[in-house]
Amino acid sequence: MTGDEVRQAFLKFFEEKGHKVILSSPLIPHGDPTLLLTNAGMVQFKPYFLGRETPPCPLMASCQKCFRTTDIELVGDSSHLTFFEMLGNFSVGGYFKEEATSLALEFVLERLRIPKERLWITIFLDDDEAFDIWRRKGIAEDRIIRFGEEDNFWGPAGDSGPCGPCSEIHYDFGEEVGCGKPSCGPNCECGRFSEIWNLVFVQYNQETGGGRSPLSKCHIDTGMGLERTAAVMQGKPSVYETDFFTPLIGLVSRLSDKKYGEDDNTDNSLRVVAEHGRGITFLIADGVLPDNEGRGYVLRRLLRRAALFGRRLGLERPFLTKLAEKAIAQMGQTYPELVNRQDFILKVIKSEETRFDETLSTGLELLDGIMTGASSRVRNKITGKQAFKLYDTYGFPIELTQEIAEGQGFSVDTESFEEEMEKQREKARASHRFELAAKTGIKSELNMEKTDFIGYSEFKQKSIIQKILVDNKAVDNINEKQKVDIILAKTPFYGEMGGQVGDTGEIIGASGRFTVTDTLQSPQGVIFHHGYVAEGSLSAGDEVEAAVDCERRLDIARNHTATHLLHYALRQVLGEYVQQRGSLVMPERFTFDFSHLTAMTQEELDEVQRIVNEKIRQNLPVYDENITHKQAIEEGAIALFDEKYGDMVRVLKIGNPVVSAELCGGTHINATGEIGFFHILSENSIGAGLRRIEAITGRGAERHINLRLSSLQEMASKLATESENTSDKLDNLITEKDIQQKQIQELERELARKEAETLLQQAEVVNGVKLVSASVPIARPEMLREMADLLRDKLKSAVVVLGTIYEGKPAFIAAVTPDLVKKGYHAGQIVKKVAAAAGGNGGGKPALAQGGGKDKDKLAEALKLVRSLV
């Protein structure tokens, strides 16, 4: 079976068994501050296991894209991977150990047709129940091996979460493959056994501090490594010899003219390049961009490690885009995001690899020089400063330096390296913490049902006050001027979410009026109306009318719909690889963050603005549909990388036929014509590969244009012309000014020449040296210099020191002819002392120097010093 056939067989089997097939979530995990990247199939199901969310179906199956960073430096051997696919079946409160083992054995024995005599089972040390189940299923007792917590207790995907004991199914390649020791068995590292399936019996929740508590319901979480299973099905001892990797390794072999299987070091490098080339392709496709922190650092480290190992294979020029193209062609049918974002993936790789290639040779030479240096040889250690220079100047990730150094018997002082890094940081590395800074704070932990939001169609709604919170504590009554949060049974108020700010307005009851200054929403969907009692009093249980500020809401809706049109236009102009990376939608304006490597040209911005306004004038219908997440993705709806979506999603569509379709929970207008007008204010960088557009629509655009027209009218009035002629009038004025400026400069030069002729007559001789020292009325320092040059040339042998008042302060210039420079006269030293007399400083070369003072009244006094200095 090919790898694709194994994947298809697994998903089909579990679909037949009543499981709902769930699409793989992105490699960027949603809403989990403990995870850098999605590293297990159960990550997207974690909220279901914890009871925080309701699953679309109790029984689910998936093929999940996974990425693990713990063994990057080991990639290159015959087994380790960073990116891999994890097949899994999941039961949320449904079946448990008995059914899970039955399903696993049925698939392995009947669908994959693996002989039972090839199977070994490992179980948790004291899991007698699992032992009995496997034995009853026909597994011989001597093939069921018990292991401790390190091997057969599966911890959470992160610092906390669901966990429990596990049973593993191992495939036996045969005694002839193994080490031959009597103790050889599953978990032996000789290569005889391959763990193909891990069945986790989820019974506990592990707290961040390390404690464990029983879950209210038991669950099943299984993981079958697709690459490992493909190796078994294809009779290969290594995942790198399966059809997942042979095309990639073959390409690198052809590019480098190196054969696979002839030399261990060459094979190691070929595997590294092939594996990392595939991994970086998937990372970029899921929205990771090169950076010095967090996920971006993982990508940068992999890409540069691949480039280094490519160099070892003799690949002197950038080559990773060719590898990415091969990976996309191979995997694109299963993961269409690779094809959809191919142009962007290749641009990012080319940019990053080219950057590193420019410094790779120099950095390797420096590292080699460090290790061959006398002091390093004695200590066999690279200092933190040396490692930091390689990182900061030549782009060597510290792990890459360590890996190269260890190969030569050197260590790296990582502690002092971190000290060097700390000196450079101006702010803490927030991306390493991945903290969720929810505005709702502790409110999200309140045990309350989701608020019924009816604000898509209504601006007013009669409701009942369910709860009143003062400092996060429930109270029964509130009085005038008190600041509180009110929770209603149903509400038209939109709580801040998805980049859209919350609504404002009023909540009015029989005995009081409450002003809503902000509306927030917890992750569980509880909507908090934040504000103060404007008059009277209100109590929990009161019947009230909630009224949204309509004009403000419509301003927000215009801007929000405009973000969707902007996204559409950017993809039309820049390419389909453009992805929204965030937004902030406010009533007065909005910002839109997107992936793009370079600054947009004015022509591109103009074209984007033209497309958006064209769609506005077409007055296209704006409508929503509630469909399954799978159907939405299959229909081509755009989803944000870092958003978590349930089984049912709201798709916001524009146009019929559809121009734009995005998963969105925000509020919008009914037709694009209601936006009125769209105008881009600015476009700038907010990070590597990230751009931000700030724009306005509707009333905001009207105010902005009126202000601009008013300013233009005022300018035209001052120029005594019509508005449409302002540019021509300004051009004429600038041209006239330039002409006059040149005339002034010529006049100044003529005056300077005449002044110089006069000063020639005033030259005196001091100890046999001609000297001119004088104050001149020339204003600009450039003219002063020209005048000094002229005097020096005319006098042939002389010291010239001139002073003038420029912008209210004394300025000096000193010039000495070459013959006197040889005798020790120094213009820089002369002008330094002269300027000091006027409260300033100066300096320069022996032949020419300049200086400036602070006290204009001391100009004459300073110039009197020159005679004595000479």
Side-chain angles (χ1 to χ4, degrees):
M1 294 176 77
T2 65
D4 287 341
E5 287 170 344
V6 174
R7 184 194 303 110
Q8 187 178 358
F10 182 92
L11 296 177
K12 183 181 178 183
F13 172 80
F14 279 99
E15 193 168 33
E16 290 171 358
K17 299 294 182 180
H19 293 64
K20 184 178 182 63
V21 175
I22 305 296
L23 293 176
S24 172
S25 63
L27 288 172
I28 298 178
H30 171 80
D32 192 335
T34 68
L35 273 184
L36 190 71
L37 292 161
T38 299
N39 62 3
M42 64 81 63
V43 169
Q44 66 169 318
F45 304 110
K46 184 175 170 180
Y48 307 145
F49 289 153
L50 291 174
R52 292 173 181 166
E53 295 180 22
T54 303
C57 178
L59 309 182
M60 296 168 286
S62 71
C63 180
Q64 175 64 49
K65 297 177 290 187
C66 296
F67 205 100
R68 291 181 183 168
T69 62
T70 50
D71 299 322
I72 289 176
E73 67 279 358
L74 296 178
V75 170
D77 64 10
S78 62
S79 61
H80 285 89
L81 300 172
T82 57
F83 172 82
F84 59 95
E85 296 177 79
M86 185 65 79
L87 301 165
N89 60 292
F90 306 88
S91 167
V92 182
Y95 59 74
F96 199 46
K97 292 183 184 181
E98 184 82 33
E99 296 87 342
T101 52
S102 295
L103 288 168
L105 276 177
E106 183 181 347
F107 179 72
V108 169
L109 299 176
E110 297 181 19
R111 297 297 173 95
L112 298 185
R113 303 193 178 195
I114 295 175
K116 186 183 288 186
E117 58 268 20
R118 288 283 187 178
L119 302 182
W120 289 68
I121 307 297
T122 65
I123 63 173
F124 186 52
L125 202 60
D126 58 2
D127 195 348
D128 296 330
E129 182 186 2
F131 182 88
D132 291 337
I133 292 171
W134 287 112
R135 186 178 56 183
R136 282 191 281 106
K137 302 294 180 187
I139 304 296
E141 287 189 19
D142 61 348
R143 292 210 166 197
I144 306 172
I145 314 298
R146 297 177 186 263
F147 283 95
E149 189 161 316
E150 186 176 336
D151 294 298
N152 278 75
F153 192 98
W154 195 252
D159 297 332
S160 62
C163 58
C166 64
S167 285
E168 296 171 342
I169 300 176
H170 292 254
Y171 178 83
D172 185 355
F173 282 100
E175 290 183 14
E176 65 278 8
V177 178
C179 59
K181 296 177 182 178
S183 61
C184 186
N187 294 334
C188 181
E189 295 182 0
C190 66
R192 173 182 168 182
F193 297 91
S194 175
E195 177 208 324
I196 58 171
W197 207 340
N198 186 5
L199 283 63
V200 182
F201 310 127
V202 184
Q203 299 172 240
Y204 308 104
N205 178 47
Q206 181 165 305
E207 309 297 337
T208 304
R212 290 178 188 147
S213 55
L215 293 169
S216 57
K217 290 183 179 179
C218 293
H219 315 294
I220 289 294
D221 156 29
T222 83
M224 170 180 264
L226 178 56
E227 290 83 359
R228 286 187 183 183
T229 307
V232 168
M233 299 307 297
Q234 294 168 28
K236 305 295 183 183
S238 166
V239 294
Y240 288 100
E241 294 177 30
T242 67
D243 63 332
F244 283 119
F245 284 99
T246 49
L248 297 171
I249 291 175
L251 173 62
V252 185
S253 293
R254 290 191 296 275
L255 291 173
S256 62
D257 199 25
K258 297 283 195 303
K259 286 188 178 180
Y260 186 73
E262 293 185 352
D263 175 77
D264 288 344
N265 288 331
T266 298
D267 289 353
N268 183 275
S269 295
L270 288 168
R271 288 191 290 261
V272 168
V273 173
E275 200 282 338
H276 287 358
R278 185 174 87 139
I280 62 177
T281 302
F282 274 90
L283 283 174
I284 297 167
D286 274 1
V288 180
L289 290 170
D291 202 348
N292 285 333
E293 297 182 343
R295 304 175 181 113
Y297 182 70
V298 173
L299 171 60
R300 176 162 284 167
R301 180 182 167 192
L302 248 68
L303 196 150
R304 296 186 174 189
R305 187 171 188 258
L308 172 66
F309 277 84
R311 183 66 64 90
R312 291 178 178 177
L313 290 168
L315 295 167
E316 297 293 331
R317 295 184 177 180
F319 62 91
L320 285 171
T321 53
K322 293 184 177 68
L323 208 53
E325 286 173 333
K326 189 72 174 177
I328 291 167
Q330 185 179 336
M331 306 288 285
Q333 189 171 354
T334 304
Y335 298 103
E337 63 269 23
L338 295 175
V339 178
N340 296 337
R341 295 161 198 160
Q342 176 166 338
D343 290 347
F344 181 67
I345 292 167
L346 299 181
K347 277 187 178 181
V348 172
I349 292 174
K350 183 179 179 181
S351 172
E352 181 72 9
E353 187 181 10
T354 302
R355 245 174 83 188
F356 185 51
D357 188 64
E358 291 169 356
T359 60
L360 178 56
S361 296
T362 312
L364 287 172
E365 288 172 11
L366 176 64
L367 182 53
D368 187 58
I370 291 168
M371 290 190 291
T372 55
S375 59
S376 295
R377 279 204 313 273
V378 172
R379 294 178 287 106
N380 270 29
K381 195 168 201 175
I382 295 169
T383 68
K385 283 190 176 181
Q386 290 168 334
F388 179 75
K389 184 176 181 181
L390 283 164
Y391 168 83
D392 193 46
T393 307
Y394 302 102
F396 276 53
I398 181 65
E399 297 84 0
L400 200 60
T401 301
Q402 285 178 293
E403 190 172 346
I404 297 169
E406 286 168 5
Q408 301 295 321
F410 279 73
S411 63
V412 179
D413 187 348
T414 54
E415 189 174 331
S416 63
F417 171 81
E418 284 300 326
E419 290 172 4
E420 294 298 321
M421 287 289 289
E422 200 61 41
K423 291 176 187 175
Q424 190 194 51
R425 296 181 191 121
E426 292 180 0
K427 57 183 180 180
R429 285 172 148 194
S431 63
H432 274 297
R433 301 187 183 95
F434 291 91
E435 295 173 345
L436 295 176
K439 281 183 74 174
T440 51
I442 196 171
K443 296 167 193 167
S444 62
E445 298 177 9
L446 290 170
N447 185 22
M448 291 197 66
E449 291 184 4
K450 181 179 179 180
T451 306
D452 185 7
F453 172 68
I454 49 88
Y456 289 133
S457 57
E458 304 293 336
F459 286 170
K460 284 186 177 181
Q461 175 65 41
K462 293 191 182 299
S463 189
I464 294 173
I465 296 178
Q466 281 194 327
K467 189 166 284 191
I468 300 172
L469 300 173
V470 177
D471 296 329
N472 215 48
K473 293 179 181 178
V475 298
D476 293 329
N477 305 291
I478 46 172
N479 299 306
E480 199 165 317
K481 295 183 180 180
Q482 271 190 282
K483 291 182 179 180
V484 303
D485 288 289
I486 288 178
I487 301 170
L488 302 176
K490 61 173 62 176
T491 182
F493 282 79
Y494 182 86
E496 181 173 334
M497 188 175 63
Q500 178 178 326
V501 298
D503 282 331
T504 62
E506 288 187 329
I507 297 172
I508 303 170
S511 59
R513 180 168 58 87
F514 183 82
T515 298
V516 180
T517 57
D518 196 8
T519 308
L520 307 171
Q521 184 170 171
S522 76
Q524 289 72 37
V526 180
I527 294 176
F528 300 85
H529 306 78
H530 183 74
Y532 61 92
V533 182
E535 59 182 61
S537 62
L538 292 169
S539 302
D542 281 358
E543 291 188 4
V544 292
E545 182 178 66
V548 172
D549 182 335
C550 297
E551 288 299 321
R552 183 178 180 275
R553 160 73 82 80
L554 288 172
D555 286 338
I556 295 169
R558 292 184 189 100
N559 283 336
H560 202 154
T561 304
T563 66
H564 289 227
L565 289 177
L566 174 58
H567 197 184
Y568 162 79
L570 286 168
R571 290 164 69 90
Q572 294 291 307
V573 174
L574 301 178
E576 291 296 314
Y577 63 81
V578 169
Q579 290 290 316
Q580 180 179 352
R581 299 301 298 274
S583 64
L584 177 59
V585 182
M586 300 170 284
E588 63 276 5
R589 63 185 174 87
F590 72 86
T591 61
F592 185 88
D593 303 339
F594 59 100
S595 54
H596 188 54
L597 292 176
T598 58
M600 291 179 67
T601 65
Q602 189 57 51
E603 290 75 18
E604 288 171 336
L605 289 169
D606 291 343
E607 179 62 9
V608 166
Q609 187 163 292
R610 185 197 68 76
I611 291 172
V612 173
N613 282 310
E614 180 181 64
K615 297 305 173 189
I616 290 171
R617 288 191 296 274
Q618 289 173 358
N619 199 30
L620 302 173
V622 180
Y623 54 99
D624 62 7
E625 290 181 358
N626 289 295
I627 56 178
T628 66
H629 181 234
K630 185 177 180 181
Q631 182 185 344
I633 298 301
E634 287 173 351
E635 290 179 2
I638 296 173
L640 286 180
F641 285 121
D642 56 355
E643 285 292 330
K644 173 72 173 178
Y645 299 103
D647 185 47
M648 296 298 295
V649 294
R650 178 177 183 252
V651 180
L652 196 285
K653 295 185 176 182
I654 300 175
N656 193 6
V658 175
V659 168
S660 166
E662 296 190 23
L663 275 61
C664 180
T667 60
H668 293 265
I669 35 84
N670 296 314
T672 58
E674 295 176 35
I675 296 172
F677 184 70
F678 165 84
H679 180 72
I680 294 174
L681 294 174
S682 65
E683 188 270 351
N684 51 62
S685 170
I686 56 168
L690 291 176
R691 311 293 301 177
R692 171 173 292 168
I693 282 178
E694 183 177 352
I696 47 177
T697 68
R699 294 195 301 172
E702 183 181 348
R703 284 192 297 270
H704 177 77
I705 289 168
N706 285 340
L707 184 63
R708 295 284 291 271
L709 287 173
S710 176
S711 298
L712 182 62
Q713 200 80 37
E714 185 180 346
M715 192 184 300
S717 177
K718 289 179 179 178
L719 294 170
T721 187
E722 298 298 324
S723 297
E724 57 268 26
N725 299 327
T726 302
S727 181
D728 291 339
K729 185 79 173 187
L730 275 173
D731 286 342
N732 291 336
L733 279 174
I734 290 168
T735 302
E736 287 177 20
K737 177 180 173 292
D738 290 342
I739 292 169
Q740 289 172 357
Q741 192 68 39
K742 288 177 182 177
Q743 291 172 344
I744 289 169
Q745 288 175 1
E746 285 303 316
L747 286 170
E748 285 181 338
R749 285 193 179 90
E750 185 59 32
L751 285 171
R753 281 193 289 271
K754 288 183 178 181
E755 183 69 24
E757 292 294 337
T758 303
L759 291 175
L760 284 171
Q761 308 304 317
Q762 298 175 13
E764 59 178 322
V765 178
V766 178
N767 289 341
V769 175
K770 288 182 187 175
L771 169 65
V772 174
S773 174
S775 171
V776 295
I778 305 299
R780 292 188 303 116
E782 305 96 273
M783 290 298 103
L784 201 64
R785 178 169 179 163
E786 286 188 25
M787 198 171 172
D789 286 342
L790 181 64
L791 286 167
R792 185 174 55 179
D793 293 344
K794 291 276 187 182
L795 291 168
K796 305 298 182 184
S797 176
V799 173
V800 178
V801 180
L802 303 176
T804 189
I805 302 298
Y806 177 69
E807 293 184 348
K809 292 181 180 180
F812 303 97
I813 193 155
V816 178
T817 53
D819 62 313
L820 295 178
V821 169
K822 290 178 181 177
K823 292 181 178 180
Y825 291 91
H826 195 293
Q829 293 174 0
I830 293 170
V831 84
K832 184 176 182 180
K833 292 178 180 177
V834 171
N841 202 353
K845 296 180 179 179
L848 187 69
Q850 60 186 20
K854 296 179 180 177
D855 190 346
K856 65 181 180 179
D857 295 330
K858 292 189 176 180
L859 176 65
E861 182 183 330
L863 289 171
K864 283 180 182 178
L865 277 177
V866 178
R867 196 172 190 281
S868 61
L869 290 172
V870 170

